[in-house]
Amino acid sequence: MVKFSKELEAQLIPEWKDAFVNYWLLKKHVKKVKLSRINTKTNHDYGVSIFDPIRSFIHRLPFSCNAINDHPPDQVKNAISEQNVESGEDEDDETELVDHLYSEEDEVKEFFEKLDEELDKVNQFYMNKESEFLERGDMLNKQLQILLDLQQVVDCRRRSNSFNSTASSTFLPSYSSGRTSDSETASEYSERDGGETQTDEVISALEKNGLNVVGAATRAKTKDGKPKMSMRINIPATTPTRTITAVTSMLWEDLVNNPKKNNQYVNRKKLQCAEKMIRGAFVELYRGLGLLKTYSSLNMVAFVKILKKFDKVSDQQSSADYLKTVKRSHFISSDKVVKLMDEVESSFTKHFAKDDRKKAMKFLRPRQQKDSHMVTFFVGLFTGSFVTLFAVYAILAHISGMFSPGTEADYVETVYPVFSMFALLSLHLFMYGCNLFLWKATRINYNFIFEFQAATALKYRDAFLICTCMMTAVVSAMVLHLILVSKQFSHSQVDTIPGILFLIFIGVLICPFNTFYRSTRYCFLRVIRNIVCSPLYKVLMVDFFMADQLTSQIPLLRHMESTACYFLAGSFKTHEYQTCKSGKLYRELAYVISFAPYYWRAMQCARRWFDESDVNHLANLGKYVSAMVAAGARLTYARQETHLWLIIVLVTSLIATVYQLYWDFVKDWGLLDPKSNNLWLRDELVLKKKGFYYMAIALNFVLRVAWLETVLQFKVGLFESRLLDFSLASLEVIRRGHWNYYRLENEHLHNVGKFRAVKTVPLPFRETDSDG
């Protein structure tokens, strides 16, 4: 049977952990009560003494922590051991408390004092969150009513015969704004005499909701003398079109200093965007209410369990009255959360699911993906197949002499880029699977941080399955290629095998059918699109996290360049692999590929600085610029091995490495805090053993200086050179996977510090007062 402490630790909300009742602390106080009773019982075994009154008086003094020494400590410990054998509890914690015992009455009193503190803490947190969610619910209801009224007005105007089809969107001068990522728009529409009454009623409703609408009597007039209305709707600049519009609007206002000249429109498409934003806000609200309901029930069970433990060790039923107090507490007695959940369900079903409750529940209560034993089975199957095939490949390569000096050049230059590309990708997937496993094991809420849907998010078993499946296919192709080469098949036929394999993987990646983890594949493609189009897309956590992965996969991108050139240029037919590498365009493109990941990441930093006005993002941008310069210097030195370029490589790489190490340890991991309670780490640590963090710092430092191999220039053969390059690229992938865990751990602790377990969704309609 699982202990309740383990069950509570597994079910509590990670971001609210500090707000839960401290069950473990209360459990220690219960143990103190039990030990004090053992102490009293042991004293009674000595019989009556003339010093008993004096001993009793000393026990009651505040400083009488060592009162237990009045009798042999071995007898107390023996009594503890006997009770532990009967109850099945560990005695380590209890024997540590032997030297810190008070009398039984004092221990009981201290227990209930701590219980009061925990009850007050739980109540206060629950009330704060309850009021926060109730306020958010009122705001959402108001936003929903505005949306419904606007949809009614726009539909009414669209049905009107006198409404100009080219002016289906309504117009009003937009408000002046500072530097913002929101698209501030306004609407104006002429009213037809027959529809004025209905429209006025809607406008009146909008004004009651705080929207900036000019009254019927004082409303401004169009050129035709008809009234117009104005409003503000904020659509976040998350796409290139909205970003360009927002930047253009800002520049126009700064240059012309006349925001009234900047006229934009609100149409049905923008109302659909507003509807999507409000729908997402309702989903997050419902999720937050569900978490708060779970918080209430888990704390109630914890109080019941700890009071039962107290009754058991104290041989009394005094906790019954206290349990009544707990049940009367606000976090148990209040029904506002349940009522609001019912209201959200009703509103969401009516307005966003067309009264289809089953459809609404798919959004509000998405089903959790269940672990499948078949996935585990196939992981084991493909792992065994991969090991077997790789052994077969090694034996065949040795027998056929593929890596002998006479044949290694042809084979390595044609096969190495393709298969190394797949191997590095598989290694990265394996490291990501390890990350997912460790994040789950240490209760790091990576789905919330990355904003993944729990129902479709990739799990560590799935990542391992994709990895082993990919490597099994790659090694199978390598074995087939080697067999055909040894059988003297023509190179134009044999060398198409890597190309076919590459096309198969591309086809699987973009396959539109709902198979092979389609949601994950499309999410990956969407993130890559956001990265390549930086800074036009709004940067999310998953976007810059993936961009950081690409900075560690520059060798993979270079292999993609070689593979594409080899097949597109038709070199596989003539087997002239030097055709690509001798071309000027190929050499220049190598600089572009080496710079691209750092450039994308730098543009993301620029976009985040534009959105958040945080100078730290500009400092982070400088880190990627320095890495870009160092990468260019090393690439040039590989072609021009002069003393001048050697000095440039040393200087630029040293600056970039120091910059990167500082950012890794201090900014990304939050370590090296000289004022921390944990020496040169940070106050909050997820892993219990500090040694892991010191080892992580040392390992990251060593792998960050792997660029020294470029300077040392080991004199080895072609095959050994390629193997060395692959090994260094693999070490960088391993370093990135190792970096990933501590980066997300720091982000998780940041959310825990702010008790942030629910995403804040921006709302589209801004009230008049907020405009200043």
Side-chain angles (χ1 to χ4, degrees):
M1 184 177 178
V2 181
K3 289 184 177 180
F4 175 72
S5 57
K6 298 290 184 182
E7 185 180 346
L8 176 63
E9 187 175 7
Q11 293 185 14
L12 59 77
I13 298 139
E15 291 79 9
W16 294 352
K17 183 177 180 179
D18 293 339
F20 275 81
V21 57
N22 196 334
Y23 180 81
W24 298 269
L25 177 63
L26 294 176
K27 193 176 177 181
K28 285 184 179 180
H29 281 283
V30 171
K31 289 183 178 181
K32 284 186 177 182
V33 173
K34 181 173 72 173
L35 296 180
S36 65
R37 286 179 57 80
I38 296 174
N39 179 28
T40 304
K41 182 179 179 181
T42 308
N43 281 333
H44 289 165
D45 291 341
Y46 279 90
V48 181
S49 170
I50 59 175
F51 297 105
D52 283 348
I54 300 175
R55 188 181 291 117
S56 177
F57 173 75
I58 293 174
H59 272 297
R60 295 177 182 276
L61 294 177
F63 55 84
S64 60
C65 295
N66 296 321
I68 194 170
N69 293 327
D70 289 343
H71 53 77
D74 293 338
Q75 189 168 357
V76 176
K77 292 181 180 180
N78 290 336
I80 294 171
S81 300
E82 292 175 2
Q83 290 201 7
N84 285 333
V85 170
E86 295 175 0
S87 61
E89 296 182 359
D90 296 333
E91 61 180 274
D92 294 338
D93 294 338
E94 297 183 353
T95 53
E96 289 178 1
L97 300 174
V98 167
D99 295 331
H100 304 282
L101 291 179
Y102 298 91
S103 65
E104 182 182 355
E105 294 179 0
D106 292 338
E107 293 297 344
V108 171
K109 181 180 179 181
E110 185 177 358
F111 167 74
F112 278 105
E113 287 177 354
K114 292 294 181 183
L115 202 61
D116 287 337
E117 291 179 6
E118 294 299 316
L119 182 60
D120 290 340
K121 179 183 75 174
V122 170
N123 258 328
Q124 189 60 44
F125 180 82
Y126 185 89
M127 287 189 290
N128 290 340
K129 284 296 176 181
E130 183 185 63
S131 61
E132 175 187 334
F133 288 135
L134 288 174
E135 182 180 352
R136 190 181 297 188
D138 291 339
M139 180 62 68
L140 273 178
N141 287 331
K142 187 181 296 185
Q143 294 273 321
L144 178 60
Q145 188 58 49
I146 294 173
L147 176 67
L148 296 175
D149 290 340
L150 280 175
Q151 288 176 339
Q152 180 182 351
V153 171
V154 172
D155 289 341
C156 180
R157 294 301 108 202
R158 199 166 63 94
R159 289 192 302 266
S160 178
N161 293 331
S162 63
F163 195 81
N164 193 330
S165 60
T166 60
S168 60
S169 60
T170 57
F171 161 85
L172 237 211
S174 65
Y175 292 87
S176 60
S177 63
R179 182 167 295 181
T180 176
S181 62
D182 293 340
S183 173
E184 296 185 349
T185 59
S187 65
E188 168 192 322
Y189 44 86
S190 301
E191 297 184 10
R192 188 169 169 264
D193 294 338
E196 255 188 37
T197 304
Q198 183 181 3
T199 306
D200 285 340
E201 293 177 357
V202 176
I203 292 173
S204 178
L206 291 172
E207 289 176 338
K208 290 179 181 179
N209 282 318
L211 204 62
N212 186 16
V213 180
V214 183
T218 60
R219 216 175 301 166
K221 303 290 183 179
T222 64
K223 293 181 178 180
D224 298 331
K226 297 179 180 179
K228 64 181 180 180
M229 63 169 277
S230 63
M231 59 167 292
R232 171 179 286 188
I233 176 172
N234 299 321
I235 305 297
T238 55
T239 62
T241 304
R242 296 176 193 167
T243 301
I244 294 172
T245 302
V247 173
T248 305
S249 173
M250 182 194 70
L251 293 176
W252 179 265
E253 292 180 12
D254 290 343
L255 293 175
V256 183
N257 196 24
N258 186 10
K260 291 186 177 181
K261 296 294 183 181
N262 179 28
N263 297 326
Q264 300 179 25
Y265 299 91
V266 172
N267 50 27
R268 293 185 62 84
K269 184 177 180 180
K270 289 183 178 177
L271 287 182
Q272 289 174 357
C273 293
E275 180 180 356
K276 185 177 180 180
M277 293 168 65
I278 295 175
R279 184 183 64 191
F282 267 107
V283 171
E284 288 300 316
L285 174 62
Y286 190 83
R287 178 175 174 271
L289 293 171
L291 292 178
L292 194 57
K293 189 178 178 181
T294 302
Y295 173 84
S296 173
S297 59
L298 284 178
N299 279 295
M300 182 62 197
V301 175
F303 278 115
V304 171
K305 291 285 185 181
I306 203 66
L307 289 171
K308 285 183 177 180
K309 282 184 175 290
F310 175 79
D311 285 346
K312 184 177 180 180
V313 302
S314 63
D315 293 333
Q316 53 181 302
Q317 301 297 323
S318 59
S319 64
D321 293 335
Y322 197 91
L323 188 58
K324 293 179 181 178
T325 303
V326 174
K327 291 181 179 179
R328 289 195 300 267
S329 299
H330 185 81
F331 80 98
I332 295 296
S333 60
S334 176
D335 61 348
K336 294 180 181 178
V337 169
V338 177
K339 288 182 178 179
L340 184 55
M341 288 185 72
D342 293 338
E343 292 176 6
V344 171
E345 285 185 15
S346 177
S347 297
F348 194 92
T349 303
K350 180 179 179 181
H351 301 294
F352 300 105
K354 298 180 180 178
D355 291 324
D356 187 346
R357 178 175 171 78
K358 185 176 180 180
K359 180 181 178 181
M361 289 300 105
K362 288 182 180 179
F363 287 96
L364 298 177
R365 296 180 189 172
R367 291 183 179 180
Q368 296 291 332
Q369 189 179 6
K370 294 182 179 180
D371 293 333
S372 174
H373 295 293
M374 290 299 294
V375 175
T376 307
F377 168 75
F378 280 114
V379 169
L381 177 64
F382 285 124
T383 301
S385 302
F386 162 69
V387 173
T388 303
L389 287 169
F390 189 79
V392 171
Y393 172 78
I395 294 172
L396 290 176
H398 178 72
I399 294 174
S400 59
M402 280 299 161
F403 298 115
S404 60
T407 59
E408 69 172 353
D410 291 345
Y411 184 75
V412 169
E413 292 294 348
T414 55
V415 174
Y416 167 77
V418 182
F419 292 134
S420 294
M421 176 178 64
F422 286 114
L424 290 174
L425 183 59
S426 299
L427 178 61
H428 213 135
L429 276 169
F430 174 77
M431 294 303 299
Y432 182 63
C434 294
N435 290 148
L436 295 177
F437 175 79
L438 292 174
W439 289 333
K440 181 180 179 181
T442 53
R443 301 278 293 158
I444 293 177
N445 195 353
Y446 60 91
N447 282 335
F448 171 69
I449 295 173
F450 289 138
E451 299 183 18
F452 289 158
Q453 296 293 330
T456 57
L458 203 68
K459 296 186 177 181
Y460 71 90
R461 289 188 181 91
D462 301 316
F464 289 148
L465 177 61
I466 297 172
C467 167
T468 54
C469 180
M470 179 183 296
M471 282 309 301
T472 301
V474 170
V475 177
S476 300
M478 292 173 66
V479 171
L480 178 62
H481 182 273
L482 193 60
I483 292 174
L484 295 179
V485 169
S486 61
K487 294 294 184 180
Q488 304 299 320
F489 278 76
S490 65
H491 291 290
S492 61
Q493 295 176 336
V494 176
D495 288 348
T496 57
I497 293 177
I500 293 173
L501 182 66
F502 182 72
L503 292 176
I504 290 174
F505 275 94
I506 294 296
V508 171
L509 182 63
I510 62 176
C511 177
F513 301 110
N514 191 14
T515 183
F516 299 119
Y517 302 100
R518 185 180 67 173
S519 59
T520 301
R521 290 187 285 109
Y522 279 25
C523 178
F524 173 77
L525 294 174
R526 186 164 55 250
V527 171
I528 293 297
R529 177 205 63 187
N530 295 352
I531 293 172
V532 173
C533 295
S534 299
L536 298 179
Y537 283 95
K538 183 177 177 64
V539 183
L540 303 177
M541 176 73 186
V542 66
D543 295 332
F544 66 77
F545 190 84
M546 178 61 75
D548 278 326
Q549 311 305 305
L550 292 180
T551 60
S552 295
Q553 285 287 18
I554 293 177
L556 183 147
L557 299 177
R558 293 290 309 280
H559 292 326
M560 289 183 65
E561 177 196 14
S562 301
T563 302
C565 180
Y566 184 74
F567 288 103
L568 293 177
S571 300
F572 70 97
K573 296 179 180 179
T574 60
H575 204 59
E576 296 177 357
Y577 53 84
Q578 292 293 342
T579 302
C580 289
K581 295 189 176 181
S582 60
K584 181 180 179 182
L585 179 63
Y586 179 87
R587 293 197 302 269
E588 292 177 350
L589 194 60
Y591 284 95
V592 176
I593 292 175
S594 299
F595 291 164
Y598 298 117
Y599 168 79
W600 293 329
R601 192 66 187 88
M603 290 299 98
Q604 287 181 335
C605 294
R607 174 59 190 263
R608 295 189 70 190
W609 168 78
F610 180 84
D611 290 342
E612 304 171 18
S613 300
D614 188 350
V615 182
N616 284 323
H617 296 312
L618 291 181
N620 199 14
L621 184 150
K623 180 189 72 171
Y624 293 104
V625 171
S626 67
M628 198 184 307
V629 173
R634 288 196 292 268
L635 197 59
T636 305
Y637 176 69
R639 298 170 181 176
Q640 304 177 26
E641 296 183 5
T642 62
H643 291 291
L644 175 61
W645 276 110
L646 176 61
I647 295 174
I648 295 174
V649 167
L650 288 173
V651 172
T652 56
S653 297
L654 183 62
I655 294 174
T657 302
V658 172
Y659 208 152
Q660 290 166 345
L661 287 172
Y662 168 79
W663 208 269
D664 285 345
F665 298 145
V666 178
K667 297 294 185 179
D668 290 335
W669 293 1
L671 303 178
L672 299 185
D673 183 2
K675 299 179 181 179
S676 172
N677 297 328
N678 303 305
L679 183 62
W680 288 103
L681 298 178
R682 53 172 131 79
D683 291 337
E684 298 293 333
L685 301 175
V686 172
L687 301 178
K688 295 181 180 180
K689 294 184 179 180
K690 301 177 186 177
F692 287 123
Y693 294 93
Y694 296 118
M695 291 173 58
I697 291 174
L699 181 62
N700 192 70
F701 174 81
V702 172
L703 295 181
R704 274 291 191 188
V705 296
W707 54 266
L708 287 173
E709 183 271 337
T710 307
V711 179
L712 297 176
Q713 290 290 317
F714 297 111
K715 301 300 180 182
V716 292
L718 178 62
F719 173 70
E720 290 79 6
S721 175
R722 294 292 183 268
L723 185 60
L724 179 61
D725 291 342
F726 177 76
S727 300
L728 291 174
S730 300
L731 287 176
E732 172 58 21
V733 173
I734 293 172
R735 187 201 68 80
R736 179 59 64 180
H738 164 259
W739 176 91
N740 289 344
Y741 174 82
Y742 296 98
R743 175 65 183 89
L744 222 66
E745 178 199 10
N746 190 36
E747 187 71 21
H748 170 74
L749 292 175
H750 180 70
N751 289 336
V752 170
K754 294 184 176 181
F755 298 104
R756 186 169 58 191
V758 181
K759 183 175 66 174
T760 301
V761 179
L763 299 177
F765 303 114
R766 181 172 298 181
E767 297 183 2
T768 306
D769 293 340
S770 64
D771 294 333

